[in-house]
Amino acid sequence: MSQNRNGLAVAAMVLGIISLSTSVFFIGGPLGVIGLVLGVVALITTKRTGIGRGKAIAAVVTSAIAIAVSVLIAVFMVWYANHTQECYQPDSFQQYKQCVRQQLT
């Protein structure tokens, strides 16, 4: 039975690492939530068994960071889109770059 609890900690840690590495692409946010929940559950079960505590902590930390990175990137993308919305119909990429420069400075 303790291997199942250790398996939960390992699964949470793997999800945390995957979510952190994919947080730039918004996939990491939902995976981070799942990893965070599994990590917290694994952390609670390790209080009784003592097995997998480090992995559960790593899962919670990496998942929380992945969620934060995903949220920050989403906020930046909304901010960027809001400040450059006049530039979305350019005739060329050069005009787009020039318009973005003007809007952001």
Side-chain angles (χ1 to χ4, degrees):
M1 190 73 171
S2 64
Q3 288 181 346
N4 290 342
R5 290 186 183 128
N6 189 12
L8 183 62
V10 170
M13 185 181 68
V14 168
L15 270 175
I17 292 169
I18 291 172
S19 66
L20 186 58
S21 63
T22 59
S23 61
V24 177
F25 305 109
F26 300 111
I27 299 168
L31 288 178
V33 171
I34 296 168
L36 185 64
V37 169
L38 289 178
V40 168
V41 170
L43 198 57
I44 291 169
T45 59
T46 60
K47 287 183 181 180
R48 288 180 286 177
T49 63
I51 298 171
R53 181 167 169 77
K55 292 175 185 163
I57 291 172
V60 169
V61 170
T62 55
S63 296
I65 292 171
I67 293 167
V69 168
S70 290
V71 168
L72 287 175
I73 288 175
V75 168
F76 172 75
M77 294 296 283
V78 169
W79 174 86
Y80 180 83
N82 189 35
H83 281 79
T84 60
Q85 63 188 356
E86 295 176 9
C87 305
Y88 292 150
Q89 300 282 334
D91 292 331
S92 69
F93 185 68
Q94 193 67 15
Q95 285 180 337
Y96 174 77
K97 286 186 346 184
Q98 183 180 11
C99 181
V100 169
R101 245 185 248 125
Q102 288 173 350
Q103 296 296 322
L104 296 180
T105 54

